[in-house]
Amino acid sequence: MDYSIIGFPRIGIHRELKFATEAYFRSEIDADELKRVVSQQRMEQWTRQRDAGAGFIPSNDFSLYDGMLDTAYMLNAIPRRYADLRLSDIDTYFAMARGYQGAQGDVKAFTMKKWFNTNYHYMVPELDDDMELKLRSDAFLDGFHQARSLGIQTKPVVAGPFTFLKLARCTGNKSATDFVDDILFAYADILKRCGENGVEWLQVDEPYLVMDLTMGDVALFRKLYQTLLEQKGTVKVLLQTYFGDVRDCYRQLCELPFDGIGLDFVEGKQTAALVAANGFPKDKILFAGLVNGKNIWRTNYKDVLERIAGLKSCCDHIVLSTSCSLLHVPYTVKNEPQLSTEIIRHFSFAYEKLDELRELCCLAELADYSCDRRYLQNQELFQTSELRTDTEVQKQVAALTESDFTRRVPRKERQATQKELLNLPLLPTTTIGSFPQTKEVKQNRTKFRKGAYSAERGVQRPLPPGRPFPTPEPPPRSPAGRRWRRSRFLCCRRFACVPAFPHKTGRRGAAAGRIRCPWPRSRRRTRRLFADPGRPGSVRYRKRPPLSGKEADRARLRPKNGGSVLSPRPGPSRRG
């Protein structure tokens, strides 16, 4: 039995691609050096998959930024605002991905959206009314040619036309169906180029088929592939789905002349039932996604082998596969030396899943695998490990009832209790993502890693400009603390003069026990102070709107000797 890989991680086992692209953005390397890094990373991945015994190795799954963005660029779906920049091909590509602000113009990037039910986000293609979809070049075959020069046969991977049209955003008056003819010509050229270059298998990803489809969606899918598959020639086409089952179009998939169909048996809740009830065509290969490509846990060989045995009764030719691309998992557990051996042996990242697929293929061909060493080791992990056989947790789970899943306390009472216990402010806020990574934050983090900052000091995040924070007070017994408290509301009762260095306040200020205001007297009524506690001695001012009404009258009537309108007795000079 062979096994297939839908896709592989591409950032680099030590994030080589990330560092190379960032260096290119900073103009530290040129495009040729970036392409060299890409070629090196692709070669290492193909070699790893070949050595692990993979029968169907993907190419063109490697991307500088995003697979959907690659497809849009390949199909000439480049909005005019990017084409008008007159940049090089790679810079135009990155302008669509990241935006561009420079001498050639100022444009924003494509919108990002969540890639189905994963944490990955893709760049949403844009279709303008005056756009002509066509195949720009043979760049999608670059990986195929490089792998073949290494003696590795691969299957190029492209996003399918149906998924592309459903996920793209039409910016004008046209709809997605208005681009059907253009996209048919473009994908017909893809099939033609594959045939001319000796491609045996072409993997076409159509994950949108697992969504809830209308009759119009199914008709559009059928129209696209009835036309395209007539022009495939000698190229074998694998239609790959993932992230769910294809209950709305399983019959149409089986009727169309695909050479292979990839189905998700992990997240596809009805996939096994669909195959059992409707059967599977004898002239097609079933690429069975039985190994979870999204999670990081070891695969239970017993479950997978039992499902393979069940599929053999209705399918003549089965290829084992992952449920989706391995893009969503790390490279290898060898990069996690800080974890204990007991925990590590439960993890399975991309490299480990290759080993699992190879072992499962070998076990599936045995008449009796129950005594095989590989099978016994896997089952020992699931049956005797303390992390999976905690009897106390199992008892608690078994004792759960329906009432345990119903909240007994009304929401208003829960809110009041939470506010009291957690001492929440009026508007408690949190974050579901990362904080802004400013240049100063990155520099501080780098210094902390290099040992320039101690663990006690930590890394302080700079506060947003103009945001008021309470002024930290020194110890109350120090002279500076006394002068500090006496100087809180010095300037006309509306301004707080913060002493950056209390011992340098001047002779008159020290004699009066006050701190000299850093602003001229004429400007004290138009400035309010905001202190940054993260920077000792720092002061920041914000303009105050002009006084009006009673405040203006009081300002005019205020005695010149420093007294107050409410308390007119003489006071020290404001200059102090």
Side-chain angles (χ1 to χ4, degrees):
M1 175 181 285
D2 288 332
Y3 74 87
S4 173
I5 303 297
I6 298 176
F8 210 72
R10 57 191 182 223
I11 196 173
I13 190 170
H14 298 297
R15 297 184 295 171
E16 289 87 352
L17 178 63
K18 174 182 182 294
F19 296 138
T21 52
E22 290 179 347
Y24 179 77
F25 299 152
R26 296 191 299 266
S27 300
E28 296 176 1
I29 63 174
D30 57 12
D32 293 336
E33 176 64 17
L34 179 60
K35 293 178 181 178
R36 188 197 64 79
V37 174
V38 170
S39 298
Q40 178 66 25
Q41 293 302 307
R42 291 190 301 201
M43 181 186 67
E44 293 177 1
Q45 295 185 8
W46 294 323
T47 304
R48 181 76 186 194
Q49 295 176 60
R50 180 195 60 187
D51 295 344
F56 295 83
I57 300 175
S59 60
N60 198 48
D61 60 325
F62 197 98
S63 174
L64 284 172
Y65 207 91
D66 171 62
M68 284 298 292
L69 179 62
D70 293 350
T71 306
Y73 198 82
M74 176 185 70
L75 298 177
N76 197 45
I78 305 174
R80 184 175 296 276
R81 65 179 183 276
Y82 301 107
D84 290 343
L85 295 174
R86 307 293 182 184
L87 301 174
S88 64
D89 287 346
I90 190 170
D91 289 337
T92 302
Y93 172 88
F94 281 128
M96 297 164 66
R98 308 173 64 245
Y100 175 84
Q101 293 80 38
Q104 304 299 111
D106 186 349
V107 295
K108 295 181 179 179
F110 275 179
T111 304
M112 294 179 66
K113 278 190 177 180
K114 193 178 179 68
W115 182 245
F116 295 90
N117 58 355
T118 70
N119 286 330
Y120 180 80
H121 286 68
Y122 72 98
M123 311 302 297
V124 181
E126 297 180 9
L127 300 178
D128 298 339
D129 287 348
D130 59 346
M131 188 175 288
E132 179 186 2
L133 299 183
K134 61 181 180 180
L135 183 62
R136 282 176 54 90
S137 67
D138 294 345
F140 72 99
L141 292 175
D142 289 348
F144 173 81
H145 292 305
Q146 181 186 354
R148 189 162 60 176
S149 67
L150 301 172
I152 303 174
Q153 186 70 19
T154 63
K155 54 180 173 69
V157 180
V158 295
F162 179 73
T163 296
F164 180 82
L165 290 177
K166 297 300 293 184
L167 296 183
R169 182 171 66 92
C170 296
T171 59
N173 298 322
K174 288 185 178 181
S175 63
T177 55
D178 295 322
F179 295 92
V180 168
D181 293 338
D182 285 351
I183 206 167
L184 281 174
F185 283 116
Y187 275 84
D189 284 344
I190 291 176
L191 289 170
K192 180 181 177 182
R193 304 288 178 87
C194 288
E196 294 172 349
N197 289 274
V199 174
E200 181 180 1
W201 281 90
L202 174 67
Q203 176 180 314
V204 183
D205 288 353
E206 290 287 8
Y208 200 87
L209 292 177
V210 306
M211 307 293 285
D212 293 332
L213 303 181
T214 64
M215 296 300 294
D217 293 335
V218 177
L220 174 61
F221 168 76
R222 190 181 183 91
K223 177 183 178 180
L224 287 169
Y225 281 97
Q226 276 182 337
T227 305
L228 286 176
L229 294 177
E230 293 175 355
Q231 307 175 55
K232 66 176 184 175
T234 60
V235 179
K236 297 178 181 179
V237 177
L238 163 62
L239 184 88
Q240 184 66 58
T241 66
Y242 36 84
F243 302 143
D245 57 66
V246 291
R247 66 188 73 174
D248 293 333
C249 60
Y250 180 77
R251 180 175 57 85
Q252 288 78 8
L253 281 177
C254 294
E255 292 174 354
L256 290 168
F258 293 108
D259 299 280
I261 299 177
L263 301 177
D264 181 359
F265 287 83
V266 176
E267 292 187 271
K269 303 303 180 183
Q270 296 188 18
T271 302
L274 287 170
V275 175
N278 300 280
F280 193 80
K282 302 292 184 180
D283 59 340
K284 294 178 174 55
I285 300 176
L286 174 61
F287 288 74
L290 294 169
V291 175
N292 198 320
K294 282 171 58 177
N295 73 12
I296 59 172
W297 305 108
R298 286 282 179 180
T299 303
N300 190 331
Y301 287 0
K302 179 182 179 181
D303 296 341
V304 174
L305 292 171
E306 288 177 354
R307 301 185 78 173
I308 292 176
L311 289 173
K312 286 182 177 180
S313 61
C314 56
C315 301
D316 292 342
H317 194 174
I318 301 174
V319 173
L320 184 61
S321 175
T322 53
S323 62
C324 63
S325 172
L326 296 179
L327 169 70
H328 310 288
V329 297
Y331 273 83
T332 176
V333 296
K334 294 180 180 178
N335 289 342
E336 309 295 336
Q338 71 278 11
L339 298 179
S340 66
T341 305
E342 175 61 23
I343 295 177
I344 280 292
R345 70 194 194 108
H346 289 270
F347 287 166
S348 177
F349 297 168
Y351 286 1
E352 288 72 32
K353 289 185 186 293
L354 293 178
D355 297 333
E356 288 183 333
L357 288 164
R358 183 183 67 248
E359 292 181 355
L360 284 167
C361 288
C362 295
L363 293 172
E365 294 178 349
L366 299 178
D368 182 15
Y369 54 78
S370 59
C371 297
D372 190 274
R373 174 186 54 83
R374 295 163 293 189
Y375 179 80
L376 294 176
Q377 289 178 349
N378 178 266
Q379 291 305 292
E380 185 272 336
L381 182 68
F382 286 86
Q383 294 173 2
T384 63
S385 173
E386 295 181 358
L387 297 180
R388 294 182 180 270
T389 58
D390 192 325
T391 56
E392 185 63 29
V393 174
Q394 293 176 355
K395 290 179 181 179
Q396 295 179 9
V397 173
L400 292 175
T401 61
E402 290 295 332
S403 60
D404 295 320
F405 298 93
T406 304
R407 295 182 184 272
R408 301 183 180 89
V409 182
R411 182 177 180 181
K412 290 186 178 180
E413 295 183 17
R414 296 200 309 270
Q415 288 179 332
T417 304
Q418 290 171 358
K419 289 182 179 180
E420 180 180 357
L421 292 177
L422 302 177
N423 193 23
L424 298 177
L426 179 61
L427 296 174
T429 58
T430 183
T431 176
I432 60 174
S434 302
F435 287 103
Q437 301 297 300
T438 62
K439 182 178 180 181
E440 186 174 357
V441 171
K442 293 180 178 180
Q443 291 175 346
N444 289 341
R445 188 185 298 112
T446 301
K447 293 178 181 178
F448 179 75
R449 285 199 302 262
K450 294 181 178 180
Y453 286 171
S454 63
E456 291 76 12
R457 174 177 180 179
V459 179
Q460 284 189 332
R461 187 179 302 279
L463 302 174
R467 183 175 178 182
F469 280 88
T471 305
E473 293 195 10
R477 291 187 178 183
S478 66
R482 289 196 295 271
R483 290 200 298 272
W484 189 295
R485 291 195 301 274
R486 293 177 67 182
S487 67
R488 295 296 291 274
F489 299 98
L490 179 63
C491 301
C492 309
R493 297 179 298 111
R494 284 193 288 273
F495 310 97
C497 297
V498 179
F501 304 97
H503 61 284
K504 296 182 180 180
T505 56
R507 178 174 53 83
R508 186 173 298 181
R514 305 284 181 95
I515 304 303
R516 183 184 298 276
C517 177
W519 289 96
R521 179 176 178 182
S522 61
R523 301 185 65 184
R524 291 180 193 173
R525 293 193 181 97
T526 61
R527 300 278 180 174
R528 180 181 290 276
L529 174 97
F530 290 86
D532 185 349
R535 298 173 55 194
S538 67
V539 292
R540 291 179 293 183
Y541 290 85
R542 184 176 67 182
K543 288 188 177 181
R544 180 181 176 88
L547 301 178
S548 61
K550 293 183 179 180
E551 290 187 355
D553 295 339
R554 288 184 178 182
R556 287 195 299 269
L557 295 175
R558 184 173 289 107
K560 294 183 179 180
N561 60 359
S564 169
V565 174
L566 300 179
S567 179
R569 69 175 182 270
S573 171
R574 294 182 198 169
R575 293 174 57 189

